[in-house]
Amino acid sequence: MVVDWCHGRLPRFQLVIPFSCEDLSHSHAHVSLRRLVTKKYQHLRDVVPVLETSNLSVLFILNGLERLNLDFRLAGTELCCDPNEPVPPSAIVVNLLRKYLLPEASIIVTTRPSAVRRIPGKYVGRYAEICGFSDTNLQKLYFQMRLSQPGCSGEESQERRSAEQENLVEMLSRNLERHNQITAACFLPSYCWLVCTTLHFLYFTRTVPPSQTLTGIYTSFLRLNFSGEVLDSSDPTHISMMKYVAKTVGKLAYEGVMSRKTCFSEEDLRQCFEVEMKTERELNLLEVFRSDVFRFFLSPCVQPGKEHTFVFTIPAMQEYLAALYVVLGEKKTLVQRVGKELSEVLGKVSEDVAVVVNIISKVLPLRFLPVLFNLLKIFPRYFSRVGGKDRDTIAHTMAEELFKEEDYYNDDVLDQINSSILGVEGPMRHPDEGPDDEVFELFPIFMGGILSRRNRAILEQLGCSIKNLAAFEIAKAMKKTVIRKGRRGLPPSELMDYLFFLHEFQNERFTAEAILSLRAVNLSSVKMTPLKCSVLASVMSTTSHEVEELNLTSCNLDSGSLRTLFPVLLRCKALHLQLNSLGSDACKEIRDLLLHDKCAVSSLRLANNPVGEQGARYLAEALAGNRSLTQLSLLHTSLGDPGAEAIAEHLAQNQHLQELNLGYNSLTDAAALRVVEVAKRHETLDKVHLYFNDISEDGKRALDSLRMDRDGVRALVFLTAGTDVSDYWSHILNVVQRNLPFWDRERVRQHLALLLQDLESSRSQTANPWRKAKFLRVESEASRETRCPS
C-alpha cells in the first residue's frame, strides 16, 4: 500500500504514515504523537503541526499489532486527544483506535489472528483475512519475475539463460497443475520465495564455494517470517515463536522422521502437543499457536485417501525442524533435562536446597525427590556427566542417520528436492499404486548445517540459542564416527550426501580431518550439477592430500564442470571420466590440466565421450608435455584416422606413457600401423589397444608381425596370437560386456563375428589339443556376447 501510494495509485490519501508495532513495543519512554512521527519521518516536521487543523486525508498503518499489549479500559489507558501530549506509545495507538486522537484519520491494522480480539469490535470498521495467492496465475507471475532476476544465472549467454528460466517456470507450473502438495504450500507468498530461492540454489550456483547452503536458505526463510516474534506478548515468559515451534512441531517432525512417516493424524497431533498435560498458561499458548502458526507449517493432505491427515506444507521443513529439535537438545530424558542445572548448583561451595527443589519440581513429580536426594548424597558428580552424554547422543544420532545402512531409495538429496519442486517427468503414478518409501536424508544434513556459525547466529535472533561450546563438543563427538564410517566406503549417492553434509557444516577444520581419510572418491552416476561440482571442489579444497581415485563416470559433466573441479582433478592419480559427453571444449580443459606442473594424474579414462578429431589434437598436445600420465583410455571416442594420427605425431615427445587404448575408433590400417610404429620406438609404452577398429586382413598380418617378442610393444587387436589364444582375450571380452549398453549393437555384432572367424581359423591351424580346448572356450564366450540382448 505504501508503494502504491508513492506511485500515485492510492489517491484517496494525501499522507501515509506507517509504524511497526514491534518498534513501538521496545520503547517505554513517554512521547507525543507529533514527536513520534517527526522522529521516524524527519521530512514531515512542517506537516505534523497542522495535522489537527488542516483537512489532510491521513492514513496510519500499524503493522504487527500483536506485539503490543493494548488495554482499552479507561483505568488501564487514559484518554488523550492532544498530539503534543507525551504518553506511552501503546496509549497513542489505543487513542488512535478509539478515534479520540485525530478522529478524522484512517487506520489500517495488521495482526495475527489470535490478537484480533484485543481490539473491541466497536472500534473496527472492517475485517479482512489475507490468505495468499488465491489465483495460480499470480503464483506463476511471481515465479517468472523472481526467476528472471539479473545475475542469477552466472556467466551464461542471455539467450540460454532465458530459455532455462522459461523451462523452469513451465515445469514448476505443470507440477502445480497436478494438484501436488506444493500447490497448497505456494498459496502463501513466503513459500513461493522459498521455492524460488531453492531453485536458484539448485540451478544457478556458479561460484566456488557456493555463496549459500541449503540449511542457510531454510534458516533465512524462518528469519524472514519469524524474526523477533514471540508466541504471545501477553504471556510473561515471552517465549520466542521459533523456540515454541522447535519444541512442539519439531517433536512431531522428529517422530515422523524416526518412523519414516510424513502424514499425521489428529491423534498424532494430540499426542505430540500433549494437550492433557498442559497447564492453563500452556493451553493458552497452544491456542495462540493453533490460530496463528499451525497452518503455516502443517496443511491438510491433498493426496487421495489421506484427506483427514496433515502433512508439512513444505516436505523438507519436516526434516529441518526435526534436526532443530535434536540439536537444541529437546530430545532428552527427564534426568538429562535437570542434569546440567543440578551439576552447576552442586558445584558451588554452599548448596541451596531451596534452589535444587525449585529446579527439580519443574520436571519431576515430588514423589521422586527423596530418591533423587539420596543419589546426590552418594554420587555428587553424577549429573555433571549427564550433560556431556546428551551431546554425545546428538552427535551419535547425526552420524548414524547420515550413514544408515538400509538402502531405501537413496537418491541424492538435491535430486529429492528437485523432484518435489519440479515434479517427475513422465507418466503419473496411478492412485492405486503403493507409495514409495519415504526418504529422510536431509535430516542429518540439516543437523550439520544448523551447527554452522552463520546459521547459529540467525537462530539466536529467532530465540533458538546454540552455544559455541555445545556446537564444538557435538562436532568433536561426531568426528570419530564420521571418519570411521567415511573410511568404510559409501555408495556414490550416499557419498555425495556425505560431502554435502560436510559443506553444510561450514567448519573447515572438521571437514579437513574427515576428508583426509577419503582416498578414493566414487561418484559414478551422480548427476553432477554446477552446485554439486562446487560442493565437491569446496570440500576437497580443505586439504591438499593426493586422491588415489576419482570416479566421475556418467555424471553429466561438461567443460564448465571440469573448470570448477580443476583443483581437485590435479591431485587425482586415477581419473575416470567415461560416459560424460565431453567434446573438444572439455578436451581443451583436460589439456590444461595435464600440462599443469602440479598434475598428479597417472591414469585417465575418457571412454565413450565424443572427443573427435579436434579433441584428439588437444589431448595430443597434452601428451607431448605431460610427465605424470602412464595410462590413457580413448576407447570409443570418435577419433577416426586424423585423431589417431595427431596422437601418433606427438607421442614421440612423451616419455612416461605405458598403455594407450584406441579401440573402437574406426581406425584403418594406415592409422593403426602408424600408432604402433611410433609406439615400438617409445621408451615406456608397451601396450596399445586397437580392437574393434576397421582393420583389414592385410593390416592384421602387418600388426601381427609387430608382436612383443620382435618389437617390444603389444598391440591388442585380436583374441588370437598366431596359433594360440591371446593373453588378453578375457580383457577384450570384458570391455565389450561393460560397454554393450552404450555401443552400436549391430556394429559390435559385426566385429565379434570377425573375431570368431579369426578364432576358428587359428584353431584349425593348431594340432595341440590343449590349445584347441582353449580356442573352443574363447569361441563360446565370444558367441555368448553376440547373443546377449541389447
Side-chain angles (χ1 to χ4, degrees):
M1 289 187 70
V2 173
V3 172
D4 281 350
W5 179 78
C6 291
H7 287 88
R9 293 191 289 267
L10 204 64
R12 177 183 166 189
F13 301 105
Q14 295 169 282
L15 189 62
V16 174
I17 304 176
F19 276 113
S20 164
C21 292
E22 179 186 3
D23 293 341
L24 296 178
S25 69
H26 295 308
S27 176
H28 303 292
H30 287 213
V31 64
S32 67
L33 175 60
R34 177 178 176 179
R35 174 61 181 148
L36 192 62
V37 173
T38 56
K39 190 175 181 181
K40 188 169 180 64
Y41 305 105
Q42 296 183 13
H43 56 285
L44 297 180
R45 286 178 179 173
D46 297 333
V47 179
V48 171
V50 296
L51 277 181
E52 260 191 313
T53 57
S54 67
N55 292 321
L56 278 177
S57 179
V58 180
L59 171 66
F60 284 96
I61 299 178
L62 303 173
N63 186 35
L65 192 72
E66 71 277 355
R67 301 296 185 94
L68 292 172
N69 291 322
L70 302 184
D71 189 348
F72 283 82
R73 297 170 303 168
L74 287 176
T77 304
E78 293 182 1
L79 296 175
C80 173
C81 61
D82 185 358
N84 297 308
E85 181 183 348
V87 291
S90 59
I92 293 177
V93 173
V94 168
N95 282 290
L96 282 172
L97 293 171
R98 283 173 173 164
K99 292 293 183 179
Y100 201 70
L101 184 61
L102 300 185
E104 300 301 323
S106 298
I107 302 171
I108 286 182
V109 171
T110 70
T111 185
R112 300 204 312 245
S114 64
V116 169
R117 61 180 181 272
R118 296 184 189 175
I119 307 177
K122 62 182 179 181
Y123 300 130
V124 180
R126 180 188 298 173
Y127 293 92
E129 184 176 3
I130 309 302
C131 297
F133 288 140
S134 56
D135 185 352
T136 54
N137 289 325
L138 286 174
Q139 293 179 4
K140 190 169 183 177
L141 179 62
Y142 179 91
F143 294 139
Q144 287 174 334
M145 294 173 62
R146 181 76 169 78
L147 293 173
S148 62
Q149 288 181 356
C152 64
S153 295
E155 302 174 357
E156 293 183 72
S157 68
Q158 181 65 36
E159 186 175 328
R160 179 177 175 184
R161 183 165 62 241
S162 177
E164 184 176 9
Q165 289 161 350
E166 287 178 10
N167 183 49
L168 283 178
V169 173
E170 187 58 35
M171 289 179 70
L172 200 53
S173 299
R174 285 205 305 270
N175 194 31
L176 292 172
E177 288 167 5
R178 291 174 175 178
H179 305 290
N180 190 281
Q181 195 70 42
I182 294 278
T183 310
C186 288
F187 187 67
L188 297 173
S190 57
Y191 275 111
C192 291
W193 177 91
L194 181 61
V195 168
C196 289
T197 305
T198 306
L199 281 177
H200 279 160
F201 180 71
L202 291 174
Y203 285 93
F204 303 135
T205 298
R206 295 290 187 273
T207 56
V208 182
S211 58
Q212 196 170 24
T213 65
L214 186 64
T215 315
I217 289 175
Y218 279 77
T219 309
S220 298
F221 169 72
L222 293 172
R223 176 173 61 178
L224 182 71
N225 287 280
F226 300 113
S227 180
E229 292 269 4
V230 295
L231 184 62
D232 185 0
S233 59
S234 63
D235 184 78
T237 59
H238 283 82
I239 183 172
S240 78
M241 179 76 77
M242 271 312 302
K243 181 71 172 179
Y244 189 86
V245 168
K247 289 167 66 99
T248 53
V249 187
K251 180 182 179 183
L252 181 72
Y254 176 77
E255 291 179 355
V257 168
M258 290 299 100
S259 58
R260 296 198 165 274
K261 184 167 67 173
T262 56
C263 290
F264 303 93
S265 65
E266 290 278 3
E267 178 61 22
D268 293 330
L269 299 180
R270 190 189 65 78
Q271 290 181 359
C272 179
F273 294 113
E274 299 174 339
V275 175
E276 72 280 357
M277 299 176 63
K278 301 290 182 182
T279 64
E280 184 178 353
R281 185 185 64 82
E282 290 171 327
L283 285 173
N284 289 336
L285 290 176
L286 182 59
E287 187 60 33
V288 171
F289 167 76
R290 280 177 169 166
S291 64
D292 293 354
V293 192
F294 178 83
R295 287 179 298 171
F296 186 86
F297 290 102
L298 292 157
S299 309
C301 185
V302 297
Q303 295 180 23
K306 297 182 178 179
E307 289 82 1
H308 301 294
T309 60
F310 292 87
V311 295
F312 278 82
T313 310
I314 290 287
M317 187 59 72
Q318 177 179 352
E319 297 175 74
Y320 181 94
L321 292 177
L324 188 60
Y325 177 75
V326 173
V327 173
L328 286 176
E330 296 298 332
K331 179 183 167 286
K332 296 181 182 179
T333 64
L334 290 177
V335 173
Q336 287 172 333
R337 287 181 198 170
V338 296
K340 184 178 180 182
E341 292 176 320
L342 278 174
S343 62
E344 290 175 355
V345 172
L346 297 176
K348 297 176 181 178
V349 178
S350 60
E351 295 181 8
D352 188 336
V353 176
V355 174
V356 176
V357 171
N358 182 49
I359 294 172
I360 297 172
S361 62
K362 292 178 182 178
V363 291
L364 290 179
L366 290 176
R367 64 178 180 273
F368 288 124
L369 287 181
V371 178
L372 191 59
F373 278 126
N374 288 332
L375 282 174
L376 294 178
K377 292 174 184 176
I378 301 172
F379 304 110
R381 297 186 179 277
Y382 169 75
F383 287 98
S384 64
R385 296 196 298 270
V386 173
K389 281 186 178 180
D390 187 57
R391 285 186 284 273
D392 287 343
T393 303
I394 293 173
H396 181 73
T397 301
M398 293 170 71
E400 287 297 323
E401 283 299 316
L402 185 59
F403 300 105
K404 278 196 167 183
E405 293 182 1
E406 61 256 20
D407 184 22
Y408 284 86
Y409 278 83
N410 276 336
D411 292 330
D412 185 275
V413 290
L414 299 183
D415 292 339
Q416 289 180 50
I417 296 178
N418 180 58
S419 176
S420 68
I421 292 178
L422 296 178
V424 180
E425 293 297 311
M428 292 289 290
R429 176 179 293 277
H430 192 275
D432 295 336
E433 289 184 35
D436 293 341
D437 283 358
E438 301 294 348
V439 199
F440 292 102
E441 292 171 335
L442 283 172
F443 171 55
I445 288 175
F446 278 143
M447 279 197 285
I450 286 170
L451 288 176
S452 71
R453 185 181 298 275
R454 180 177 180 274
N455 286 319
R456 280 190 285 119
I458 296 176
L459 287 168
E460 181 75 32
Q461 299 171 18
L462 294 171
C464 300
S465 178
I466 305 170
K467 301 301 181 186
N468 287 339
L469 182 60
F472 172 76
E473 290 188 2
I474 291 171
K476 186 171 66 174
M478 280 179 58
K479 195 173 296 176
K480 292 180 181 178
T481 308
V482 169
I483 292 174
R484 183 176 68 251
K485 299 204 172 185
R487 285 175 182 159
R488 195 170 63 182
L490 297 165
S493 61
E494 290 185 20
L495 178 59
M496 188 67 237
D497 293 344
Y498 173 49
L499 298 173
F500 205 74
F501 165 80
L502 292 172
H503 169 69
E504 291 282 319
F505 197 27
Q506 293 286 292
N507 186 312
E508 286 194 11
R509 185 176 175 182
F510 178 90
T511 301
E513 293 184 13
I515 287 298
L516 273 175
S517 62
L518 204 61
R519 297 291 173 174
V521 180
N522 179 11
L523 295 172
S524 60
S525 300
V526 172
K527 185 180 178 182
M528 294 298 291
T529 61
L531 172 64
K532 293 174 192 171
C533 291
S534 297
V535 168
L536 175 60
S538 172
V539 169
M540 297 299 289
S541 68
T542 56
T543 70
S544 57
H545 75 285
E546 281 192 349
V547 179
E548 295 293 332
E549 182 180 10
L550 176 59
N551 190 343
L552 295 174
T553 302
S554 190
C555 288
N556 288 52
L557 298 180
D558 56 19
S559 56
S561 306
L562 297 181
R563 278 194 296 273
T564 302
L565 294 171
F566 193 91
V568 180
L569 304 182
L570 277 176
R571 297 153 42 196
C572 298
K573 291 185 177 180
L575 187 55
H576 302 269
L577 299 176
Q578 305 97 301
L579 292 161
N580 277 298
S581 302
L582 299 175
S584 58
D585 289 344
C587 290
K588 191 175 182 181
E589 300 295 332
I590 294 172
R591 177 199 65 184
D592 296 342
L593 172 74
L594 294 175
L595 291 177
H596 197 281
D597 57 354
K598 293 184 179 179
C599 178
V601 178
S602 61
S603 174
L604 175 62
R605 298 183 182 277
L606 286 168
N608 300 304
N609 281 296
V611 170
E613 178 184 344
Q614 183 57 49
R617 295 187 184 282
Y618 287 133
L619 294 175
E621 293 174 24
L623 281 176
N626 178 265
R627 299 179 181 179
S628 63
L629 201 63
T630 58
Q631 294 178 315
L632 175 62
S633 174
L634 295 172
L635 175 72
H636 192 224
T637 50
S638 305
L639 298 182
D641 283 355
E645 290 281 357
I647 288 173
E649 182 182 344
H650 289 79
L651 198 57
Q653 301 171 49
N654 179 280
Q655 299 178 352
H656 301 279
L657 197 65
Q658 298 173 10
E659 184 175 350
L660 176 64
N661 191 335
L662 300 178
Y664 201 169
N665 273 297
S666 302
L667 304 188
T668 60
D669 296 0
L673 286 167
R674 168 77 172 137
V675 170
V676 175
E677 285 288 349
V678 174
K680 72 180 183 180
R681 295 192 296 272
H682 197 282
E683 292 183 7
T684 58
L685 185 61
D686 70 343
K687 194 184 297 180
V688 179
H689 302 250
L690 291 168
Y691 38 81
F692 281 26
N693 280 301
D694 301 332
I695 300 172
S696 67
E697 290 298 322
D698 291 339
K700 289 180 181 179
R701 284 191 289 273
L703 287 169
D704 188 47
S705 68
L706 299 176
R707 290 178 60 200
M708 187 188 87
D709 56 345
R710 297 177 189 172
D711 298 293
V713 61
R714 288 171 284 189
L716 278 61
V717 187
F718 330 103
L719 298 178
T720 62
T723 57
D724 198 359
V725 175
S726 168
D727 292 339
Y728 301 99
W729 70 269
S730 61
H731 171 81
I732 295 173
L733 291 180
N734 282 337
V735 169
V736 173
Q737 189 176 35
R738 285 198 308 268
N739 289 276
L740 272 178
F742 319 110
W743 287 357
D744 181 346
R745 179 68 187 174
E746 187 55 38
R747 189 176 175 194
V748 171
R749 197 188 300 275
Q750 292 172 6
H751 278 292
L752 285 171
L754 292 173
L755 291 177
L756 278 169
Q757 291 177 14
D758 188 57
L759 282 168
E760 292 172 1
S761 173
S762 297
R763 175 164 54 84
S764 64
Q765 296 176 27
T766 181
N768 189 315
W770 295 108
R771 288 186 179 179
K772 280 185 179 292
K774 203 172 179 182
F775 272 114
L776 287 170
R777 180 190 171 193
V778 178
E779 284 178 45
S780 173
E781 291 288 335
S783 299
R784 188 167 64 83
E785 293 296 342
T786 62
R787 293 192 300 269
C788 281
S790 58

